[in-house]
Amino acid sequence: MDMKIEDYLAQGGKLTSPGNVPPRYRGELLRLMASFVDSELAGAAGFADTINDAPGIKNRIAAAKITQEKLDHAGRVLAVMGEFGADTARYDNSHDWAARMDRDADLAAARHGDDMRLSVFHYPLQGYVDAVVLNVLMGLATVVQMDEMKRVSYAPLADTYREIAPREARHVELGLNGLRQIAESDEGRAQAKDAIAYWMPKVDATFGQSASKRYDTQARFGLRHTENEKLRELWAQRVNDLLAPMGLA
């Protein structure tokens, strides 16, 4: 039964409901969704604490909009998880999404604690410049990974990601607007460079290992299509293309 479905998925087939999903596929699919939901919830919790650090009403509105939409994106994917039996009413209260570890902790790409957030969201933000830089770098990573997930073989989730993707791209644009303002002064540009040096390796780690057995499994199921290293290279190139004109690359 599983092999027949793998053959179907290998030919580009789609699954449309929990009832026709094999157990191994279900496990990998739920893992992907939980990682996204937990990262959005943890990311929103971190950005929420920096809204009042933003200079001026427009920048505070932008920070609040990003925070609100990250929560909405978590809710939309959580609704898909609910179709697989997840207790959506309790889920978002099951962890302390604002909890952070030490700023200098060496977490690499591994998961930590009981939730499935990406390791980058265990590190604390330190003020507005720090938040803007993380928003740009992680936002670009999310856009790259979202292009991958829009092709996922579970059709309801692919549809959800296609709805979310334009707003994630807009978050990057808002972050870039803030970063350009920061880079107008020598002091701001120096602070941005320090923040970029701090966050680059942590966002890089979110793409996972170059040779990943999990990727191989997910690729067989049509849950992934592009290897981690290729996504990482695409992200790094986009970062360089956008930061270089600001003198930040």
Side-chain angles (χ1 to χ4, degrees):
M1 179 66 176
D2 286 359
M3 285 301 295
K4 291 181 180 177
I5 287 184
E6 284 192 25
D7 290 343
Y8 169 72
L9 294 172
Q11 296 172 19
K14 306 293 183 186
L15 301 180
T16 57
S17 71
N20 56 14
V21 165
R24 185 72 185 276
Y25 181 101
R26 172 193 175 99
E28 294 296 334
L29 180 65
L30 284 171
R31 180 184 177 86
L32 286 173
M33 289 192 287
S35 179
F36 179 84
V37 170
D38 293 7
S39 295
E40 291 288 286
L41 290 171
F47 284 120
D49 289 338
T50 68
I51 291 174
N52 286 329
D53 293 330
I57 293 175
K58 288 186 177 179
N59 286 322
R60 291 185 186 185
I61 291 173
K65 177 180 177 64
I66 291 170
T67 301
Q68 183 267 324
E69 290 185 349
K70 285 189 175 298
L71 291 170
D72 178 70
H73 297 172
R76 293 187 187 207
V77 175
L78 184 57
V80 180
M81 291 180 67
E83 297 172 2
F84 289 84
D87 187 342
T88 58
R90 293 184 56 189
Y91 191 97
D92 60 350
N93 293 319
S94 58
H95 300 288
D96 180 1
W97 303 111
R100 293 296 188 269
M101 296 185 181
D102 189 87
R103 179 90 169 172
D104 297 323
D106 182 10
L107 304 179
R111 296 296 196 281
H112 298 270
D114 297 330
D115 60 65
M116 290 289 292
R117 76 178 76 175
L118 294 169
S119 59
V120 68
F121 293 114
H122 283 294
Y123 293 100
L125 290 166
Q126 291 186 333
Y128 178 66
V129 175
D130 208 44
V132 170
V133 167
L134 175 59
N135 178 61
V136 169
L137 297 181
M138 194 60 217
L140 286 168
T142 301
V143 168
V144 168
Q145 291 163 344
M146 194 67 70
D147 286 343
E148 169 85 340
M149 298 310 296
K150 286 188 295 186
R151 304 162 61 197
V152 71
S153 58
Y154 189 65
L157 182 59
D159 292 342
T160 300
Y161 281 132
R162 280 192 282 272
E163 294 171 358
I164 290 172
R167 300 206 304 187
E168 290 286 352
R170 178 58 179 157
H171 293 175
V172 176
E173 293 175 6
L174 292 171
L176 287 169
N177 290 341
L179 194 54
R180 290 188 187 97
Q181 294 174 15
I182 290 167
E184 288 176 353
S185 70
D186 291 341
E187 180 183 3
R189 192 160 51 253
Q191 291 177 345
K193 285 183 176 179
D194 288 345
I196 290 167
Y198 177 80
W199 287 112
M200 275 293 286
K202 294 167 177 58
V203 177
D204 183 285
T206 66
F207 289 92
Q209 299 177 350
S210 298
S212 168
K213 292 183 178 178
R214 184 171 297 283
Y215 169 80
D216 293 339
T217 299
Q218 294 175 344
R220 287 203 309 276
F221 287 136
L223 296 171
R224 294 283 307 279
H225 297 83
T226 310
E227 294 180 352
N228 293 341
E229 194 59 28
K230 291 187 181 298
L231 295 178
R232 188 196 322 277
E233 291 172 358
L234 180 58
W235 164 74
Q237 186 61 56
R238 291 187 182 180
V239 169
N240 184 74
D241 291 347
L242 289 168
L243 297 191
M246 289 184 264
L248 297 174

